[in-house]
């Protein structure tokens, strides 16, 4: 799989490289292995990220929703959704690197994008989450962790594509960190939980 089509258009494979670039801040080994599965070099990943940033910052940009449609094509599904009193549209696109996940964009009636992240695909089963040790990198989404360890307290992320949740598990304070909605790491009592080798 190449990061862009022969015509030089920016497509789904290049978009996945952008997701991996941000996830590499937390999980460089997983991100590198995924980049190799895409058949892309580091140079191609840097170029994909550069092109994405140029699209995001372009003064001629048509808006985030139009950008996602042009990059990812028609969504796999769309559905009306209510968040409190607010109505929005949820658009889902497949993400080949993570077959059980979808990239979700929540858009307001005027087309403004409220949220953009990875969620579990409809009908796909998520992991069983009972202890901090169950929270393995890339295993769960924000919603899944929030449901499993409710009540949770959302915390400010360290970048626009990052989220953090604080909660208690087995009586101990925990903080889970996410990039594009996918779990990256968990700290218990301030110490990162590491997966067994």
């Amino acid at each position: 799989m190449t990061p862009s089509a022969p015509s030089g258009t920016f497509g789904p494979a290049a978009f996945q490289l952008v997701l991996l670039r941000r996830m590499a801040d937390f999980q460089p080994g997983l991100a590198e292995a995924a980049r190799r599965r895409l058949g892309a070099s580091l140079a191609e990943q840097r170029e994909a990220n550069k092109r994405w940033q140029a699209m995001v910052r372009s003064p001629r940009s048509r808006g985030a929703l139009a950008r996602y449609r042009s990059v990812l094509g028609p969504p796999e599904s769309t559905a009306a959704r209510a968040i409190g009193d607010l109505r929005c549209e949820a658009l889902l696109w497949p993400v080949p690197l993570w077959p059980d996940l979808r990239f979700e964009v929540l858009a307001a009636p005027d087309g403004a994008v409220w949220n953009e992240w990875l969620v579990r695909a409809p009908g796909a089963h998520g992991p069983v989450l009972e202890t901090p040790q169950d929270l393995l990198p890339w295993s769960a989404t924000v919603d899944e962790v929030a449901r499993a360890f409710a009540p949770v307290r959302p915390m400010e992320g360290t970048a626009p594509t990052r989220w953090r949740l604080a909660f208690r598990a087995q009586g101990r304070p925990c903080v889970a960190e996410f990039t594009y909605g996918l779990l990256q790491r968990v700290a218990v009592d301030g110490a990162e939980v590491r997966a067994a080798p």
Side-chain angles (χ1 to χ4, degrees), residues 40-77:
S41 68
L42 274 172
E44 288 172 319
Q45 184 176 38
R46 283 192 293 269
E47 179 61 23
N49 193 64
K50 180 180 172 184
R51 290 184 63 192
W52 176 255
Q53 294 302 323
M55 284 188 278
V56 168
R57 295 187 172 105
S58 170
R60 298 184 307 262
S61 176
R62 297 174 297 171
L65 184 55
R67 181 171 59 252
Y68 283 120
R69 286 181 180 276
S70 70
V71 166
L72 299 175
E76 178 181 77
S77 66

PDB file of all heavy atoms in Angstrom, residues 40-77:
ATOM      1  N   ALA A  40       5.326   2.031   3.834  1.00  0.00           N
ATOM      2  CA  ALA A  40       5.785   3.415   3.684  1.00  0.00           C
ATOM      3  C   ALA A  40       7.105   3.633   4.413  1.00  0.00           C
ATOM      4  O   ALA A  40       7.346   3.057   5.474  1.00  0.00           O
ATOM      5  CB  ALA A  40       4.739   4.378   4.231  1.00  0.00           C
ATOM      6  N   SER A  41       7.942   4.473   3.837  1.00  0.00           N
ATOM      7  CA  SER A  41       9.205   4.845   4.467  1.00  0.00           C
ATOM      8  C   SER A  41       8.976   6.007   5.430  1.00  0.00           C
ATOM      9  O   SER A  41       7.932   6.661   5.413  1.00  0.00           O
ATOM     10  CB  SER A  41      10.218   5.261   3.397  1.00  0.00           C
ATOM     11  OG  SER A  41       9.798   6.481   2.793  1.00  0.00           O
ATOM     12  N   LEU A  42       9.989   6.282   6.243  1.00  0.00           N
ATOM     13  CA  LEU A  42       9.918   7.454   7.134  1.00  0.00           C
ATOM     14  C   LEU A  42       9.787   8.736   6.321  1.00  0.00           C
ATOM     15  O   LEU A  42       9.056   9.652   6.702  1.00  0.00           O
ATOM     16  CB  LEU A  42      11.164   7.521   8.021  1.00  0.00           C
ATOM     17  CG  LEU A  42      11.122   6.713   9.311  1.00  0.00           C
ATOM     18  CD1 LEU A  42      12.487   6.726   9.989  1.00  0.00           C
ATOM     19  CD2 LEU A  42      10.048   7.247  10.255  1.00  0.00           C
ATOM     20  N   ALA A  43      10.485   8.797   5.195  1.00  0.00           N
ATOM     21  CA  ALA A  43      10.408   9.991   4.342  1.00  0.00           C
ATOM     22  C   ALA A  43       8.992  10.177   3.814  1.00  0.00           C
ATOM     23  O   ALA A  43       8.476  11.302   3.766  1.00  0.00           O
ATOM     24  CB  ALA A  43      11.404   9.885   3.194  1.00  0.00           C
ATOM     25  N   GLU A  44       8.344   9.077   3.431  1.00  0.00           N
ATOM     26  CA  GLU A  44       6.964   9.170   2.950  1.00  0.00           C
ATOM     27  C   GLU A  44       6.023   9.602   4.072  1.00  0.00           C
ATOM     28  O   GLU A  44       5.086  10.373   3.849  1.00  0.00           O
ATOM     29  CB  GLU A  44       6.517   7.830   2.363  1.00  0.00           C
ATOM     30  CG  GLU A  44       7.173   7.529   1.023  1.00  0.00           C
ATOM     31  CD  GLU A  44       6.889   6.123   0.546  1.00  0.00           C
ATOM     32  OE1 GLU A  44       6.919   5.191   1.375  1.00  0.00           O
ATOM     33  OE2 GLU A  44       6.634   5.950  -0.652  1.00  0.00           O
ATOM     34  N   GLN A  45       6.299   9.132   5.286  1.00  0.00           N
ATOM     35  CA  GLN A  45       5.471   9.545   6.410  1.00  0.00           C
ATOM     36  C   GLN A  45       5.648  11.034   6.698  1.00  0.00           C
ATOM     37  O   GLN A  45       4.668  11.746   6.928  1.00  0.00           O
ATOM     38  CB  GLN A  45       5.799   8.730   7.656  1.00  0.00           C
ATOM     39  CG  GLN A  45       4.882   9.070   8.825  1.00  0.00           C
ATOM     40  CD  GLN A  45       5.142   8.198  10.024  1.00  0.00           C
ATOM     41  OE1 GLN A  45       6.281   7.856  10.327  1.00  0.00           O
ATOM     42  NE2 GLN A  45       4.079   7.824  10.725  1.00  0.00           N
ATOM     43  N   ARG A  46       6.878  11.497   6.671  1.00  0.00           N
ATOM     44  CA  ARG A  46       7.120  12.934   6.885  1.00  0.00           C
ATOM     45  C   ARG A  46       6.425  13.762   5.813  1.00  0.00           C
ATOM     46  O   ARG A  46       5.838  14.803   6.105  1.00  0.00           O
ATOM     47  CB  ARG A  46       8.620  13.224   6.906  1.00  0.00           C
ATOM     48  CG  ARG A  46       9.307  12.845   8.211  1.00  0.00           C
ATOM     49  CD  ARG A  46      10.704  13.394   8.296  1.00  0.00           C
ATOM     50  NE  ARG A  46      11.604  12.788   7.327  1.00  0.00           N
ATOM     51  CZ  ARG A  46      12.342  11.717   7.561  1.00  0.00           C
ATOM     52  NH1 ARG A  46      12.295  11.110   8.737  1.00  0.00           N
ATOM     53  NH2 ARG A  46      13.132  11.234   6.625  1.00  0.00           N
ATOM     54  N   GLU A  47       6.491  13.309   4.571  1.00  0.00           N
ATOM     55  CA  GLU A  47       5.847  14.039   3.478  1.00  0.00           C
ATOM     56  C   GLU A  47       4.326  14.041   3.644  1.00  0.00           C
ATOM     57  O   GLU A  47       3.671  15.060   3.417  1.00  0.00           O
ATOM     58  CB  GLU A  47       6.221  13.420   2.130  1.00  0.00           C
ATOM     59  CG  GLU A  47       5.577  14.099   0.929  1.00  0.00           C
ATOM     60  CD  GLU A  47       5.937  15.564   0.763  1.00  0.00           C
ATOM     61  OE1 GLU A  47       6.982  16.010   1.276  1.00  0.00           O
ATOM     62  OE2 GLU A  47       5.146  16.283   0.109  1.00  0.00           O
ATOM     63  N   ALA A  48       3.765  12.902   4.053  1.00  0.00           N
ATOM     64  CA  ALA A  48       2.315  12.837   4.279  1.00  0.00           C
ATOM     65  C   ALA A  48       1.905  13.811   5.373  1.00  0.00           C
ATOM     66  O   ALA A  48       0.915  14.541   5.238  1.00  0.00           O
ATOM     67  CB  ALA A  48       1.899  11.412   4.643  1.00  0.00           C
ATOM     68  N   ASN A  49       2.677  13.848   6.454  1.00  0.00           N
ATOM     69  CA  ASN A  49       2.351  14.757   7.554  1.00  0.00           C
ATOM     70  C   ASN A  49       2.479  16.216   7.107  1.00  0.00           C
ATOM     71  O   ASN A  49       1.643  17.061   7.450  1.00  0.00           O
ATOM     72  CB  ASN A  49       3.262  14.481   8.752  1.00  0.00           C
ATOM     73  CG  ASN A  49       2.765  15.173  10.000  1.00  0.00           C
ATOM     74  OD1 ASN A  49       1.690  14.869  10.506  1.00  0.00           O
ATOM     75  ND2 ASN A  49       3.531  16.131  10.482  1.00  0.00           N
ATOM     76  N   LYS A  50       3.510  16.497   6.328  1.00  0.00           N
ATOM     77  CA  LYS A  50       3.708  17.863   5.823  1.00  0.00           C
ATOM     78  C   LYS A  50       2.525  18.291   4.953  1.00  0.00           C
ATOM     79  O   LYS A  50       2.013  19.410   5.078  1.00  0.00           O
ATOM     80  CB  LYS A  50       5.013  17.912   5.028  1.00  0.00           C
ATOM     81  CG  LYS A  50       5.352  19.258   4.433  1.00  0.00           C
ATOM     82  CD  LYS A  50       6.678  19.166   3.680  1.00  0.00           C
ATOM     83  CE  LYS A  50       6.956  20.424   2.905  1.00  0.00           C
ATOM     84  NZ  LYS A  50       8.184  20.308   2.104  1.00  0.00           N
ATOM     85  N   ARG A  51       2.078  17.401   4.072  1.00  0.00           N
ATOM     86  CA  ARG A  51       0.947  17.726   3.196  1.00  0.00           C
ATOM     87  C   ARG A  51      -0.336  17.901   3.998  1.00  0.00           C
ATOM     88  O   ARG A  51      -1.146  18.794   3.723  1.00  0.00           O
ATOM     89  CB  ARG A  51       0.773  16.642   2.131  1.00  0.00           C
ATOM     90  CG  ARG A  51       1.902  16.648   1.100  1.00  0.00           C
ATOM     91  CD  ARG A  51       1.662  15.647   0.004  1.00  0.00           C
ATOM     92  NE  ARG A  51       0.452  15.998  -0.738  1.00  0.00           N
ATOM     93  CZ  ARG A  51      -0.139  15.175  -1.603  1.00  0.00           C
ATOM     94  NH1 ARG A  51       0.365  13.979  -1.825  1.00  0.00           N
ATOM     95  NH2 ARG A  51      -1.217  15.543  -2.252  1.00  0.00           N
ATOM     96  N   TRP A  52      -0.536  17.044   5.014  1.00  0.00           N
ATOM     97  CA  TRP A  52      -1.729  17.165   5.844  1.00  0.00           C
ATOM     98  C   TRP A  52      -1.734  18.514   6.575  1.00  0.00           C
ATOM     99  O   TRP A  52      -2.749  19.207   6.603  1.00  0.00           O
ATOM    100  CB  TRP A  52      -1.796  16.015   6.841  1.00  0.00           C
ATOM    101  CG  TRP A  52      -2.946  16.112   7.786  1.00  0.00           C
ATOM    102  CD1 TRP A  52      -2.917  16.479   9.102  1.00  0.00           C
ATOM    103  CD2 TRP A  52      -4.320  15.844   7.489  1.00  0.00           C
ATOM    104  NE1 TRP A  52      -4.172  16.454   9.637  1.00  0.00           N
ATOM    105  CE2 TRP A  52      -5.054  16.071   8.668  1.00  0.00           C
ATOM    106  CE3 TRP A  52      -4.998  15.428   6.337  1.00  0.00           C
ATOM    107  CZ2 TRP A  52      -6.442  15.898   8.732  1.00  0.00           C
ATOM    108  CZ3 TRP A  52      -6.370  15.267   6.399  1.00  0.00           C
ATOM    109  CH2 TRP A  52      -7.077  15.494   7.588  1.00  0.00           C
ATOM    110  N   GLN A  53      -0.608  18.868   7.167  1.00  0.00           N
ATOM    111  CA  GLN A  53      -0.529  20.145   7.886  1.00  0.00           C
ATOM    112  C   GLN A  53      -0.779  21.312   6.935  1.00  0.00           C
ATOM    113  O   GLN A  53      -1.419  22.303   7.306  1.00  0.00           O
ATOM    114  CB  GLN A  53       0.825  20.297   8.581  1.00  0.00           C
ATOM    115  CG  GLN A  53       1.062  19.305   9.711  1.00  0.00           C
ATOM    116  CD  GLN A  53       0.002  19.375  10.791  1.00  0.00           C
ATOM    117  OE1 GLN A  53      -0.486  20.447  11.137  1.00  0.00           O
ATOM    118  NE2 GLN A  53      -0.374  18.223  11.338  1.00  0.00           N
ATOM    119  N   ALA A  54      -0.290  21.212   5.712  1.00  0.00           N
ATOM    120  CA  ALA A  54      -0.526  22.274   4.729  1.00  0.00           C
ATOM    121  C   ALA A  54      -2.009  22.386   4.405  1.00  0.00           C
ATOM    122  O   ALA A  54      -2.548  23.493   4.265  1.00  0.00           O
ATOM    123  CB  ALA A  54       0.286  22.003   3.463  1.00  0.00           C
ATOM    124  N   MET A  55      -2.699  21.238   4.301  1.00  0.00           N
ATOM    125  CA  MET A  55      -4.137  21.270   4.034  1.00  0.00           C
ATOM    126  C   MET A  55      -4.899  21.893   5.208  1.00  0.00           C
ATOM    127  O   MET A  55      -5.817  22.684   5.010  1.00  0.00           O
ATOM    128  CB  MET A  55      -4.671  19.856   3.779  1.00  0.00           C
ATOM    129  CG  MET A  55      -4.340  19.306   2.411  1.00  0.00           C
ATOM    130  SD  MET A  55      -5.208  17.738   2.099  1.00  0.00           S
ATOM    131  CE  MET A  55      -4.146  16.590   2.946  1.00  0.00           C
ATOM    132  N   VAL A  56      -4.504  21.521   6.420  1.00  0.00           N
ATOM    133  CA  VAL A  56      -5.186  22.034   7.611  1.00  0.00           C
ATOM    134  C   VAL A  56      -5.016  23.543   7.736  1.00  0.00           C
ATOM    135  O   VAL A  56      -5.953  24.251   8.096  1.00  0.00           O
ATOM    136  CB  VAL A  56      -4.648  21.321   8.878  1.00  0.00           C
ATOM    137  CG1 VAL A  56      -5.115  22.012  10.149  1.00  0.00           C
ATOM    138  CG2 VAL A  56      -5.053  19.854   8.875  1.00  0.00           C
ATOM    139  N   ARG A  57      -3.821  24.025   7.406  1.00  0.00           N
ATOM    140  CA  ARG A  57      -3.511  25.446   7.611  1.00  0.00           C
ATOM    141  C   ARG A  57      -3.773  26.321   6.392  1.00  0.00           C
ATOM    142  O   ARG A  57      -3.608  27.527   6.463  1.00  0.00           O
ATOM    143  CB  ARG A  57      -2.045  25.574   8.013  1.00  0.00           C
ATOM    144  CG  ARG A  57      -1.749  24.934   9.358  1.00  0.00           C
ATOM    145  CD  ARG A  57      -0.337  25.223   9.820  1.00  0.00           C
ATOM    146  NE  ARG A  57      -0.142  24.768  11.178  1.00  0.00           N
ATOM    147  CZ  ARG A  57       0.534  23.696  11.527  1.00  0.00           C
ATOM    148  NH1 ARG A  57       1.096  22.959  10.580  1.00  0.00           N
ATOM    149  NH2 ARG A  57       0.673  23.345  12.779  1.00  0.00           N
ATOM    150  N   SER A  58      -4.182  25.722   5.296  1.00  0.00           N
ATOM    151  CA  SER A  58      -4.376  26.493   4.074  1.00  0.00           C
ATOM    152  C   SER A  58      -5.483  27.530   4.239  1.00  0.00           C
ATOM    153  O   SER A  58      -6.582  27.207   4.707  1.00  0.00           O
ATOM    154  CB  SER A  58      -4.744  25.560   2.912  1.00  0.00           C
ATOM    155  OG  SER A  58      -5.142  26.316   1.792  1.00  0.00           O
ATOM    156  N   PRO A  59      -5.212  28.787   3.838  1.00  0.00           N
ATOM    157  CA  PRO A  59      -6.278  29.805   3.912  1.00  0.00           C
ATOM    158  C   PRO A  59      -7.415  29.512   2.937  1.00  0.00           C
ATOM    159  O   PRO A  59      -8.515  30.025   3.090  1.00  0.00           O
ATOM    160  CB  PRO A  59      -5.555  31.108   3.549  1.00  0.00           C
ATOM    161  CG  PRO A  59      -4.319  30.695   2.828  1.00  0.00           C
ATOM    162  CD  PRO A  59      -3.953  29.333   3.352  1.00  0.00           C
ATOM    163  N   ARG A  60      -7.155  28.646   1.949  1.00  0.00           N
ATOM    164  CA  ARG A  60      -8.190  28.285   0.974  1.00  0.00           C
ATOM    165  C   ARG A  60      -8.957  27.028   1.395  1.00  0.00           C
ATOM    166  O   ARG A  60      -9.766  26.516   0.652  1.00  0.00           O
ATOM    167  CB  ARG A  60      -7.559  28.040  -0.400  1.00  0.00           C
ATOM    168  CG  ARG A  60      -6.860  29.258  -0.972  1.00  0.00           C
ATOM    169  CD  ARG A  60      -6.353  28.964  -2.368  1.00  0.00           C
ATOM    170  NE  ARG A  60      -5.538  27.760  -2.423  1.00  0.00           N
ATOM    171  CZ  ARG A  60      -4.211  27.738  -2.404  1.00  0.00           C
ATOM    172  NH1 ARG A  60      -3.533  28.853  -2.342  1.00  0.00           N
ATOM    173  NH2 ARG A  60      -3.556  26.602  -2.467  1.00  0.00           N
ATOM    174  N   SER A  61      -8.668  26.543   2.606  1.00  0.00           N
ATOM    175  CA  SER A  61      -9.297  25.315   3.082  1.00  0.00           C
ATOM    176  C   SER A  61     -10.820  25.457   3.100  1.00  0.00           C
ATOM    177  O   SER A  61     -11.355  26.485   3.488  1.00  0.00           O
ATOM    178  CB  SER A  61      -8.797  24.993   4.494  1.00  0.00           C
ATOM    179  OG  SER A  61      -9.466  23.860   4.994  1.00  0.00           O
ATOM    180  N   ARG A  62     -11.491  24.390   2.654  1.00  0.00           N
ATOM    181  CA  ARG A  62     -12.957  24.394   2.601  1.00  0.00           C
ATOM    182  C   ARG A  62     -13.575  23.966   3.922  1.00  0.00           C
ATOM    183  O   ARG A  62     -14.782  23.861   4.039  1.00  0.00           O
ATOM    184  CB  ARG A  62     -13.436  23.459   1.497  1.00  0.00           C
ATOM    185  CG  ARG A  62     -12.998  23.905   0.123  1.00  0.00           C
ATOM    186  CD  ARG A  62     -13.372  22.872  -0.895  1.00  0.00           C
ATOM    187  NE  ARG A  62     -12.659  21.614  -0.629  1.00  0.00           N
ATOM    188  CZ  ARG A  62     -12.895  20.469  -1.241  1.00  0.00           C
ATOM    189  NH1 ARG A  62     -13.821  20.405  -2.157  1.00  0.00           N
ATOM    190  NH2 ARG A  62     -12.206  19.391  -0.947  1.00  0.00           N
ATOM    191  N   GLY A  63     -12.789  23.695   4.919  1.00  0.00           N
ATOM    192  CA  GLY A  63     -13.305  23.235   6.204  1.00  0.00           C
ATOM    193  C   GLY A  63     -12.929  21.789   6.460  1.00  0.00           C
ATOM    194  O   GLY A  63     -12.638  21.028   5.546  1.00  0.00           O
ATOM    195  N   ALA A  64     -12.955  21.419   7.738  1.00  0.00           N
ATOM    196  CA  ALA A  64     -12.482  20.090   8.137  1.00  0.00           C
ATOM    197  C   ALA A  64     -13.328  18.972   7.539  1.00  0.00           C
ATOM    198  O   ALA A  64     -12.792  17.961   7.081  1.00  0.00           O
ATOM    199  CB  ALA A  64     -12.451  19.992   9.655  1.00  0.00           C
ATOM    200  N   LEU A  65     -14.652  19.118   7.524  1.00  0.00           N
ATOM    201  CA  LEU A  65     -15.489  18.037   7.007  1.00  0.00           C
ATOM    202  C   LEU A  65     -15.236  17.805   5.519  1.00  0.00           C
ATOM    203  O   LEU A  65     -15.088  16.659   5.071  1.00  0.00           O
ATOM    204  CB  LEU A  65     -16.965  18.352   7.255  1.00  0.00           C
ATOM    205  CG  LEU A  65     -17.946  17.250   6.852  1.00  0.00           C
ATOM    206  CD1 LEU A  65     -17.605  15.927   7.531  1.00  0.00           C
ATOM    207  CD2 LEU A  65     -19.367  17.679   7.175  1.00  0.00           C
ATOM    208  N   ALA A  66     -15.140  18.884   4.746  1.00  0.00           N
ATOM    209  CA  ALA A  66     -14.841  18.744   3.316  1.00  0.00           C
ATOM    210  C   ALA A  66     -13.465  18.111   3.122  1.00  0.00           C
ATOM    211  O   ALA A  66     -13.266  17.313   2.206  1.00  0.00           O
ATOM    212  CB  ALA A  66     -14.903  20.105   2.631  1.00  0.00           C
ATOM    213  N   ARG A  67     -12.514  18.451   3.985  1.00  0.00           N
ATOM    214  CA  ARG A  67     -11.170  17.869   3.884  1.00  0.00           C
ATOM    215  C   ARG A  67     -11.221  16.360   4.119  1.00  0.00           C
ATOM    216  O   ARG A  67     -10.633  15.585   3.366  1.00  0.00           O
ATOM    217  CB  ARG A  67     -10.239  18.550   4.899  1.00  0.00           C
ATOM    218  CG  ARG A  67      -8.818  18.023   4.855  1.00  0.00           C
ATOM    219  CD  ARG A  67      -7.875  18.847   5.713  1.00  0.00           C
ATOM    220  NE  ARG A  67      -8.255  18.910   7.115  1.00  0.00           N
ATOM    221  CZ  ARG A  67      -8.759  19.975   7.723  1.00  0.00           C
ATOM    222  NH1 ARG A  67      -8.951  21.099   7.067  1.00  0.00           N
ATOM    223  NH2 ARG A  67      -9.076  19.940   9.004  1.00  0.00           N
ATOM    224  N   TYR A  68     -11.951  15.921   5.133  1.00  0.00           N
ATOM    225  CA  TYR A  68     -12.044  14.479   5.391  1.00  0.00           C
ATOM    226  C   TYR A  68     -12.731  13.758   4.234  1.00  0.00           C
ATOM    227  O   TYR A  68     -12.318  12.675   3.838  1.00  0.00           O
ATOM    228  CB  TYR A  68     -12.782  14.203   6.705  1.00  0.00           C
ATOM    229  CG  TYR A  68     -11.918  14.457   7.917  1.00  0.00           C
ATOM    230  CD1 TYR A  68     -12.281  15.399   8.865  1.00  0.00           C
ATOM    231  CD2 TYR A  68     -10.723  13.771   8.094  1.00  0.00           C
ATOM    232  CE1 TYR A  68     -11.485  15.643   9.968  1.00  0.00           C
ATOM    233  CE2 TYR A  68      -9.905  14.007   9.191  1.00  0.00           C
ATOM    234  CZ  TYR A  68     -10.305  14.943  10.129  1.00  0.00           C
ATOM    235  OH  TYR A  68      -9.501  15.193  11.212  1.00  0.00           O
ATOM    236  N   ARG A  69     -13.768  14.354   3.680  1.00  0.00           N
ATOM    237  CA  ARG A  69     -14.447  13.720   2.551  1.00  0.00           C
ATOM    238  C   ARG A  69     -13.521  13.614   1.339  1.00  0.00           C
ATOM    239  O   ARG A  69     -13.528  12.611   0.623  1.00  0.00           O
ATOM    240  CB  ARG A  69     -15.705  14.501   2.181  1.00  0.00           C
ATOM    241  CG  ARG A  69     -16.858  14.330   3.162  1.00  0.00           C
ATOM    242  CD  ARG A  69     -18.070  15.133   2.702  1.00  0.00           C
ATOM    243  NE  ARG A  69     -19.204  15.020   3.588  1.00  0.00           N
ATOM    244  CZ  ARG A  69     -20.099  14.040   3.570  1.00  0.00           C
ATOM    245  NH1 ARG A  69     -19.964  13.059   2.695  1.00  0.00           N
ATOM    246  NH2 ARG A  69     -21.118  14.027   4.415  1.00  0.00           N
ATOM    247  N   SER A  70     -12.712  14.646   1.091  1.00  0.00           N
ATOM    248  CA  SER A  70     -11.822  14.609  -0.073  1.00  0.00           C
ATOM    249  C   SER A  70     -10.677  13.612   0.124  1.00  0.00           C
ATOM    250  O   SER A  70     -10.234  12.983  -0.828  1.00  0.00           O
ATOM    251  CB  SER A  70     -11.272  16.004  -0.371  1.00  0.00           C
ATOM    252  OG  SER A  70     -10.347  16.409   0.620  1.00  0.00           O
ATOM    253  N   VAL A  71     -10.230  13.441   1.373  1.00  0.00           N
ATOM    254  CA  VAL A  71      -9.110  12.533   1.659  1.00  0.00           C
ATOM    255  C   VAL A  71      -9.576  11.089   1.801  1.00  0.00           C
ATOM    256  O   VAL A  71      -8.949  10.170   1.273  1.00  0.00           O
ATOM    257  CB  VAL A  71      -8.376  12.998   2.942  1.00  0.00           C
ATOM    258  CG1 VAL A  71      -7.440  11.918   3.460  1.00  0.00           C
ATOM    259  CG2 VAL A  71      -7.613  14.283   2.687  1.00  0.00           C
ATOM    260  N   LEU A  72     -10.692  10.878   2.506  1.00  0.00           N
ATOM    261  CA  LEU A  72     -11.133   9.524   2.835  1.00  0.00           C
ATOM    262  C   LEU A  72     -12.245   9.002   1.926  1.00  0.00           C
ATOM    263  O   LEU A  72     -12.589   7.824   1.994  1.00  0.00           O
ATOM    264  CB  LEU A  72     -11.611   9.491   4.288  1.00  0.00           C
ATOM    265  CG  LEU A  72     -10.544   9.862   5.330  1.00  0.00           C
ATOM    266  CD1 LEU A  72     -11.151   9.923   6.726  1.00  0.00           C
ATOM    267  CD2 LEU A  72      -9.373   8.895   5.292  1.00  0.00           C
ATOM    268  N   GLY A  73     -12.798   9.876   1.096  1.00  0.00           N
ATOM    269  CA  GLY A  73     -13.874   9.456   0.209  1.00  0.00           C
ATOM    270  C   GLY A  73     -15.209   9.483   0.933  1.00  0.00           C
ATOM    271  O   GLY A  73     -15.327  10.004   2.040  1.00  0.00           O
ATOM    272  N   PRO A  74     -16.229   8.902   0.319  1.00  0.00           N
ATOM    273  CA  PRO A  74     -17.543   8.877   0.965  1.00  0.00           C
ATOM    274  C   PRO A  74     -17.468   8.073   2.267  1.00  0.00           C
ATOM    275  O   PRO A  74     -16.800   7.037   2.326  1.00  0.00           O
ATOM    276  CB  PRO A  74     -18.450   8.173  -0.047  1.00  0.00           C
ATOM    277  CG  PRO A  74     -17.715   8.240  -1.341  1.00  0.00           C
ATOM    278  CD  PRO A  74     -16.257   8.267  -1.004  1.00  0.00           C
ATOM    279  N   PRO A  75     -18.155   8.516   3.315  1.00  0.00           N
ATOM    280  CA  PRO A  75     -18.125   7.746   4.565  1.00  0.00           C
ATOM    281  C   PRO A  75     -18.796   6.394   4.403  1.00  0.00           C
ATOM    282  O   PRO A  75     -19.692   6.221   3.568  1.00  0.00           O
ATOM    283  CB  PRO A  75     -18.891   8.639   5.555  1.00  0.00           C
ATOM    284  CG  PRO A  75     -19.691   9.563   4.721  1.00  0.00           C
ATOM    285  CD  PRO A  75     -18.969   9.730   3.419  1.00  0.00           C
ATOM    286  N   GLU A  76     -18.359   5.437   5.201  1.00  0.00           N
ATOM    287  CA  GLU A  76     -18.965   4.099   5.200  1.00  0.00           C
ATOM    288  C   GLU A  76     -20.401   4.179   5.703  1.00  0.00           C
ATOM    289  O   GLU A  76     -21.289   3.457   5.229  1.00  0.00           O
ATOM    290  CB  GLU A  76     -18.142   3.182   6.101  1.00  0.00           C
ATOM    291  CG  GLU A  76     -18.661   1.777   6.241  1.00  0.00           C
ATOM    292  CD  GLU A  76     -17.785   0.958   7.170  1.00  0.00           C
ATOM    293  OE1 GLU A  76     -17.886   1.142   8.402  1.00  0.00           O
ATOM    294  OE2 GLU A  76     -16.987   0.150   6.661  1.00  0.00           O
ATOM    295  N   SER A  77     -20.639   5.056   6.681  1.00  0.00           N
ATOM    296  CA  SER A  77     -21.986   5.237   7.206  1.00  0.00           C
ATOM    297  C   SER A  77     -22.109   6.621   7.821  1.00  0.00           C
ATOM    298  O   SER A  77     -21.110   7.244   8.182  1.00  0.00           O
ATOM    299  CB  SER A  77     -22.322   4.165   8.253  1.00  0.00           C
ATOM    300  OG  SER A  77     -21.497   4.329   9.396  1.00  0.00           O
TER     301      SER A  77
END
